[in-house]
Amino acid sequence: MDNVLTEEHPALAPRAAIRSLPAYSAGRDAAAVRRDTGYQGLVIKLASNEGAEGPFPAARAALESVSTAVQRYPDSYSTPVSEALARFHGVEPNEVIVGGSGCALLAHLSSAYLEVGDEVVFGQPTFHVYRLEALRMGAIPVPVPLKADGTYNLPAMRRAIGPRTRLVYICTPNNPTGGLVSRSELTAFLEDLPARVLPIIDEAYFEYVAHPDYPDPVRISSPCARQAVVLRTFSKIYGLAGLRIGYAVAPAAVVATCRRIQNPYEVTRTAQAAALASLGHPNELTRRRAQNEAGRTRLCAGLRTLGLEPLTSQGNFACVPVGHAKAVAGALEARGVIVRPLDAMGDPTSIRITVGTPEEVEAFLDALAAELNSEHTRSAGATTSMAL
Ligand SMILES: *Cc1c(COP(=O)(O)O)cnc(C)c1O
């Protein structure tokens, strides 16, 4: 359709890399599910790993007071937020970039560093924005299968790095599997990288992890590690997904480059105020981390009771093989629960469930149990009628 149109109207033809670019496959929202399934009750969304508890109390208060200032453009570089983050991480202010979401920063990094034909190495399955951003730039995605436990296989990724490799992603904990790379694996990998390869360590779920072997690459002091870009976001534990704000700690040269290609006033005044107010509450972070861990433990135990085998996850989500993931996700939607089938991420046999509130976790487990039960009845019925 698009192609016919653009042959007639050449002005409408996008550049070559964009013509076949798939759209980001987003988690479905409650309104779409009500429309498509006719489900009338409360729809529970566990499809996009948003923090279960919403904004921090201090951020809620800041949001109320900012509303009168919105006729003025915000600080274009989010200076107060980036300075607070620099203090928090013990780096210089010119080593922090704040963007209008983690995804926006991934787009800026791709725009800044990828030439047509460059290669981008990442794990598979993983966050599919890495692949889409490579394709958007006309670069070549090079997916490397994860280890069986759902963690990035860094030695295999090192072997996949060639003369055209420009960016390499390490997602830890990995979305959607939840596995971590260890401190020793990460340092060995970074130290052995060819000079032209820029590593991007995506730690969208950093604050949820309490594992003793989880490295904080911002603080790894080897000079090599400091050449990495470390991506974080306010969308997950900070509960600000709807405001779109994320940041990266990166070498000053990378920060300066990305600042030049950011949109003017990229991060809204509202998002900056809420993010700034969210910092400096270590007890609230610790409480949320513990709450998430309890929810994740309950979620995984419930899945195992139903005869399923979730992967060990360190994030606010769990990934579990179910067979035909799209069918299972569709059946759960008809019961008012939205989860994410992982086709777009490269695994059509698994679903990913976000750790919601305790009530949401129970509602999901009830819906899944009911679905498995009715499936069982249906297939038993089919066998009986066939036998007859
Ligand atoms: C959620 C997420 C991000 C960033 O999300 P934004 O909402 O765009 O800040 C980045 N990487 C991974 C792996 C994520 O899961």
Side-chain angles (χ1 to χ4, degrees), residues 101-103 127 130 171 175 202 204-205 231 233 235-236 244-245:
S101 78
C103 288
F127 191 46
Y130 312 152
C171 188
N175 177 3
D202 185 342
Y205 303 95
L231 185 79
T233 180
S235 294
K236 306 288 160 54
R244 317 303 298 127
I245 177 166

Side-chain angles (χ1 to χ4, degrees), residues 70 75 256:
V70 294
D75 181 316

Side-chain angles (χ1 to χ4, degrees), residues 119-126 130-131 141-148 150-162 165 167-169 174 189 345-346:
E119 291 178 356
V120 181
V121 174
F122 49 80
Q124 161 111 332
T126 198
Y130 312 152
R131 178 167 172 274
V142 180
V144 176
L146 303 181
K147 294 195 266 188
T151 61
Y152 263 50
N153 188 340
L154 295 185
M157 287 175 62
R158 179 64 189 86
R159 291 192 293 277
I161 289 173
T165 307
L167 296 180
V168 57
Y169 288 98
N174 182 44
F189 181 79
M345 297 199 203

Side-chain angles (χ1 to χ4, degrees), residues 8-342:
E8 271 175 53
H9 303 283
L12 306 184
R15 65 187 172 81
I18 307 297
R19 258 169 252 160
S20 54
L21 185 67
Y24 176 73
S25 145
R28 304 231 303 145
D29 66 23
V33 165
R34 271 201 208 93
R35 193 186 57 227
D36 295 353
T37 65
Y39 183 83
Q40 294 302 323
L42 178 73
V43 175
I44 292 173
K45 186 181 179 210
L46 301 175
S48 299
N49 295 350
E50 294 123 329
E53 300 186 60
F56 277 33
R60 287 180 208 265
L63 284 172
E64 276 162 30
S65 61
V66 81
S67 57
T68 51
V70 294
Q71 87 269 28
R72 301 283 173 221
Y73 284 119
D75 181 316
S76 203
Y77 298 110
S78 308
T79 313
V81 187
S82 64
E83 285 179 348
L85 286 166
R87 278 194 301 279
F88 178 64
H89 288 300
V91 299
E92 296 301 320
N94 65 0
E95 294 173 306
V96 177
I97 179 162
V98 179
S101 78
C103 288
L105 290 167
L106 293 177
H108 300 330
L109 289 162
S110 303
S111 300
Y113 294 102
L114 293 177
E115 304 275 7
V116 171
D118 279 347
E119 291 178 356
V120 181
V121 174
F122 49 80
Q124 161 111 332
T126 198
F127 191 46
H128 65 301
V129 168
Y130 312 152
R131 178 167 172 274
L132 295 178
E133 281 300 329
L135 294 174
R136 180 176 69 81
M137 296 308 299
I140 300 160
V142 180
V144 176
L146 303 181
K147 294 195 266 188
D149 63 357
T151 61
Y152 263 50
N153 188 340
L154 295 185
M157 287 175 62
R158 179 64 189 86
R159 291 192 293 277
I161 289 173
R164 291 299 318 250
T165 307
R166 192 68 177 87
L167 296 180
V168 57
Y169 288 98
I170 300 155
C171 188
T172 175
N174 182 44
N175 177 3
T177 52
L180 297 179
V181 298
S182 71
R183 189 181 307 271
S184 56
E185 282 175 309
L186 183 66
T187 10
F189 181 79
L190 293 176
E191 272 163 13
D192 187 36
L193 272 186
R196 289 174 333 281
V197 180
L198 181 65
I200 302 175
I201 304 170
D202 185 342
E203 299 188 329
Y205 303 95
F206 176 82
E207 299 83 0
Y208 286 111
V209 183
H211 197 287
D213 198 24
Y214 186 50
D216 180 348
V218 173
R219 299 210 166 86
I220 294 178
S221 57
S222 97
C224 185
R226 289 304 306 272
Q227 298 307 309
V229 176
V230 179
L231 185 79
R232 307 254 170 99
T233 180
F234 286 95
S235 294
K236 306 288 160 54
I237 206 165
Y238 290 106
L240 299 178
L243 290 179
R244 317 303 298 127
I245 177 166
Y247 68 98
V249 179
V254 173
V255 169
T257 299
C258 289
R259 281 188 180 169
R260 282 192 281 123
I261 51 179
Q262 281 192 295
N263 296 328
Y265 313 112
E266 179 171 287
V267 185
T268 66
R269 190 176 273 281
T270 325
Q272 291 187 36
L276 189 61
S278 303
L279 296 173
H281 304 285
N283 295 342
E284 179 66 5
L285 272 180
T286 309
R287 190 189 65 72
R288 287 181 177 218
R289 182 184 306 129
Q291 180 82 10
N292 176 66
E293 193 174 327
R296 191 180 60 215
T297 303
R298 168 67 189 127
L299 172 63
C300 291
L303 287 167
R304 281 191 290 269
T305 304
L306 295 172
L308 299 170
E309 287 179 32
L311 294 176
T312 302
S313 167
Q314 306 292 334
N316 67 335
F317 53 88
C319 177
V320 65
V322 290
H324 187 347
K326 260 194 168 157
V328 172
L332 288 172
E333 284 182 6
R335 295 175 186 274
V337 181
I338 318 177
V339 300
R340 186 76 75 96
L342 299 180

